[in-house]
Amino acid sequence: MSINTEQLAKLVKDATEQVFSTMLGTEITSGEPYLGGSDPGPSEGVVSLIGLAGAWIGTGSVFCSAEMACKIAAGFLMTEYPAVNSEVLDAVAEVTNMIIGNVKTSLEEQFGPMGLSIPTVIYGRNFMTRTVGNSEWVGVPFFWNNERIEVQVCLAPNEDGKTAHSRFWMAGMRSI
Amino acid sequence: MALDILIVDDSAAIRKILQRVLVQADVPVGRVLEAGDGNEALELLQKEKVQLILSDINMPNMDGLQFLGRVRANAAWKDVPVVMITTEGSQNKVMEAVQLGASGYVRKPFTADQIKEKLAGLI
């Protein structure tokens, strides 16, 4: 079994659109999916990270500006947030949890049970993120309220798991 | 009759959203108690009586399935409806929750209508 970039990007797109339409009552526009290296991270804003584990391991992330994080929290909690605070970070963490949780549920249909970690959210400036290893990220940009939000997933076979799936990972990964 | 409700979720945002959604779903809400994990929820149940529990699954310290098992094993709480509200959509987790005695299962993201429908036969 395998999943290619287009399929993974579609899972991300569907999950993100569903979360925004259901929880925020709004439509979100997606851009072109892309592939990134192990340094996909931004240098400023809000980054939320959540781990995936099982026969496949990886990370899901949501990145947006501080302004976008405040808008997401406002839509979620029906309260205006002039600046990032703990409630804003909590709302972004929950959005990440829902998006990547739904991607995980779809992946489980092919790859068997996976676990999801508790999200970690980082807010600041002049920082760098890096994924250890050489996995590539599949990212999808979204646009809402004149702001951009990036949802990214990186997955790799769990070599310790020695599953039959692992050999076939990322067939067609570079096809976009 | 207004219902005293316990909401168990490590996300304060979701606890807040659920309170709003319960009102939108025409649930007669009385007091709302909040807990961030299963341990906190069990401590609250020792002191307070509730008529409905809404619980996440993925939480630190004690997850929702462990919490559900502890609720169902306690004579004082075993008949309280417990609805799992979670991003966990895998059949394994759903089956585990059902076997442990969950009264319902709602996947995040959710709408007020979905919550209303799930609670209709329980309250």
Side-chain angles (χ1 to χ4, degrees):
Chain A
M1 273 181 232
S2 66
I3 185 167
N4 63 31
T5 304
E6 290 91 340
Q7 290 167 325
L8 190 54
K10 185 172 187 321
L11 295 182
V12 168
K13 181 175 176 290
D14 291 348
T16 306
E17 288 174 350
Q18 189 193 7
V19 168
F20 271 75
S21 71
T22 307
M23 299 304 295
L24 287 95
T26 187
E27 301 302 317
I28 191 166
T29 308
S30 62
E32 276 298 305
Y34 57 85
L35 280 174
S38 59
D39 297 321
S43 60
E44 181 174 335
V46 177
V47 184
S48 180
L49 299 161
I50 191 163
L52 293 155
W56 296 76
I57 54 177
T59 307
S61 81
V62 168
F63 162 67
C64 63
S65 66
E67 292 75 19
M68 177 65 158
C70 291
K71 287 179 181 178
I72 289 172
F76 240 55
L77 301 170
M78 303 292 181
T79 305
E80 290 303 315
Y81 293 95
V84 173
N85 63 14
S86 60
E87 289 191 1
V88 171
L89 296 181
D90 198 49
V92 174
E94 194 51 42
V95 165
T96 310
N97 188 39
M98 287 186 199
I99 293 171
I100 304 302
N102 277 273
V103 170
K104 180 200 83 122
T105 299
S106 300
L107 289 171
E108 284 177 324
E109 291 171 12
Q110 287 190 66
F111 302 127
M114 299 175 83
L116 201 63
S117 75
I118 307 288
T120 296
V121 192
I122 301 153
Y123 167 52
R125 288 180 182 159
N126 299 322
F127 61 78
M128 181 192 267
T129 62
R130 179 170 172 77
T131 307
V132 177
N134 56 7
S135 300
E136 288 182 302
W137 290 76
V138 175
V140 184
F142 294 90
F143 305 94
W144 181 61
N145 268 356
N146 300 318
E147 296 280 352
R148 183 182 174 108
I149 180 169
E150 303 274 345
V151 182
Q152 300 175 324
V153 175
C154 100
L155 274 178
N158 184 354
E159 295 298 341
D160 292 337
K162 303 292 183 198
T163 65
H165 305 129
S166 59
R167 298 168 213 146
F168 303 104
W169 166 240
M170 290 298 180
M173 183 70 190
R174 290 194 169 276
S175 56
I176 60 172
Chain B
M1 186 190 79
L3 302 175
D4 292 336
I5 299 171
L6 171 59
I7 299 176
V8 192
D9 199 306
D10 55 326
S11 165
I14 284 294
R15 298 198 301 267
K16 194 169 179 180
I17 289 166
L18 273 172
Q19 290 187 51
R20 189 179 76 231
V21 165
L22 285 169
V23 173
Q24 288 172 345
D26 299 324
V27 174
V29 180
R31 284 184 313 150
V32 176
L33 308 177
E34 297 183 36
D37 62 38
N39 284 332
E40 280 183 24
L42 290 174
E43 281 178 27
L44 275 173
L45 287 175
Q46 299 280 358
K47 295 180 279 191
E48 308 283 351
K49 199 170 179 179
V50 298
Q51 287 82 49
L52 175 67
I53 299 171
L54 307 179
S55 178
D56 189 14
I57 288 183
N58 288 327
M59 295 182 289
N61 304 319
M62 180 188 288
D63 71 26
L65 294 176
Q66 291 173 298
F67 167 66
L68 174 61
R70 296 282 291 273
V71 168
R72 289 295 176 249
N74 186 303
W77 311 325
K78 66 181 174 58
D79 295 324
V80 177
V82 181
V83 176
M84 312 309 290
I85 299 181
T86 174
T87 52
E88 273 295 350
S90 68
Q91 282 304 307
N92 290 350
K93 295 284 185 185
V94 176
M95 289 306 298
E96 196 176 344
V98 169
Q99 284 165 1
L100 284 168
S103 313
Y105 200 103
V106 177
R107 275 192 59 196
K108 297 174 187 173
F110 50 78
T111 63
D113 285 345
Q114 287 168 331
I115 298 290
K116 186 175 185 175
E117 184 184 332
K118 199 55 72 175
L119 297 182
L122 301 174
I123 56 176

